[in-house]
Amino acid sequence: MRSAFYFRMAVAGLCVGLIGFSTTLFIPLARGTFHAPPIVEIHGALFFSWLLLLVCQAQLVRTRRLPTHRRLGWVGAGLAVAMAASGVAVDILVTHRDLAAGQGDLARGQFLNILIEMVIFLGLVVAAVLCRRKPGWHKRLILLATISVLGPAWLRFRHFLPWVGNPFVTFSLIADAALLVAIGHDLRTTRKVHPAYLWAGSAMFAIHCAELFLSDTGPWLATARLLLGEG
């Protein structure tokens, strides 16, 4: 049986999603108090389908059931496209809601951030599909895509830790810290860092930092207004 590292990371990602969205999704669902437009429910279902599929795929590789893993991989590719499309739709919906509530530039900045996140996620998955015959690249790019898309789940940990200052920055950095765990695993097992982490991982982290520190700047907000059709 192969290393359990990627299986454990997949399970950890699923746990982060379940815990992070527990107060805004699962507990309200259990109480019958959750109400949201259908596109929000669809996006949530797609998001957790991705996390569940990731656990399944990692286990299939561990147990060397590679033909099944490859067939399900195409399901995952289609799921990623649907996730990105629904994520953009939810982003637009939530932004218009927040603008109507008077959140102004905060809503515009977050709109562009989420839009970029969907592009990053889908781009990493496409790269992983193109590298499917290079297992070292493939599994790391899929892990990076999952790390990136888990940002909103990590941000919701602020409901459990309300005393944490500047939660957008703090939990974004915590989310990307998973990259350090992956790099540490590489160093421990191969004594070097894989290029996927050096290049794609570094680019992902740099973009996340740009989102944090540029989201309230003039060019960022002007781009958001343009994309939202505000002129």
Side-chain angles (χ1 to χ4, degrees):
M1 186 174 290
R2 299 186 180 184
S3 169
F5 174 74
Y6 289 92
F7 175 76
R8 290 169 180 164
M9 291 295 283
V11 171
L14 177 60
C15 290
V16 168
L18 291 172
I19 296 170
F21 283 99
S22 63
T23 58
T24 58
L25 177 60
F26 294 111
I27 292 175
L29 275 174
R31 293 175 175 171
T33 58
F34 179 78
H35 303 288
I39 188 60
V40 175
E41 297 178 349
I42 291 170
H43 180 65
L46 292 170
F47 174 83
F48 281 99
S49 295
W50 172 267
L51 295 177
L52 288 168
L53 181 61
L54 188 66
V55 172
C56 178
Q57 287 287 72
Q59 179 62 12
L60 287 172
V61 172
R62 284 187 70 206
T63 55
R64 301 183 183 275
R65 296 168 63 185
L66 297 183
T68 303
H69 173 85
R70 295 188 184 103
R71 287 193 294 270
L72 281 178
W74 292 111
V75 175
L79 185 58
V81 173
M83 284 175 64
S86 66
V88 172
V90 170
D91 189 24
I92 294 171
L93 175 71
V94 170
T95 300
H96 284 301
R97 180 201 67 190
D98 292 345
L99 286 172
Q103 294 191 24
D105 285 347
L106 176 62
R108 294 183 182 95
Q110 289 303 307
F111 161 76
L112 188 54
N113 288 354
I114 296 299
L115 189 63
I116 291 171
E117 285 306 310
M118 292 299 98
V119 173
I120 293 173
F121 169 72
L122 189 57
L124 287 168
V125 173
V126 168
V129 171
L130 294 175
C131 293
R132 63 189 181 276
R133 299 188 186 281
K134 300 177 181 178
W137 279 89
H138 177 76
K139 62 187 178 182
R140 288 174 174 85
L141 289 168
I142 289 293
L143 178 57
L144 287 173
T146 305
I147 290 172
S148 181
V149 83
L150 278 171
W154 276 110
L155 180 58
R156 282 160 176 78
F157 274 68
R158 70 187 188 278
H159 299 304
F160 303 105
L161 305 168
W163 45 267
V164 172
N166 205 342
F168 282 95
V169 173
T170 301
F171 288 110
S172 292
L173 293 176
I174 291 174
D176 281 351
L179 175 58
L180 297 178
V181 175
I183 288 173
H185 176 261
D186 267 11
L187 291 173
R188 184 174 63 85
T189 56
T190 67
R191 299 183 184 276
K192 61 182 179 179
V193 181
H194 194 277
Y197 294 148
L198 287 175
W199 299 109
S202 296
M204 180 188 76
F205 180 68
I207 294 171
H208 288 171
C209 289
E211 291 173 5
L212 290 173
F213 298 109
L214 298 177
S215 62
D216 59 351
T217 62
W220 203 268
L221 296 173
T223 302
R225 289 190 182 94
L226 180 63
L227 294 173
L228 288 167
E230 295 182 325

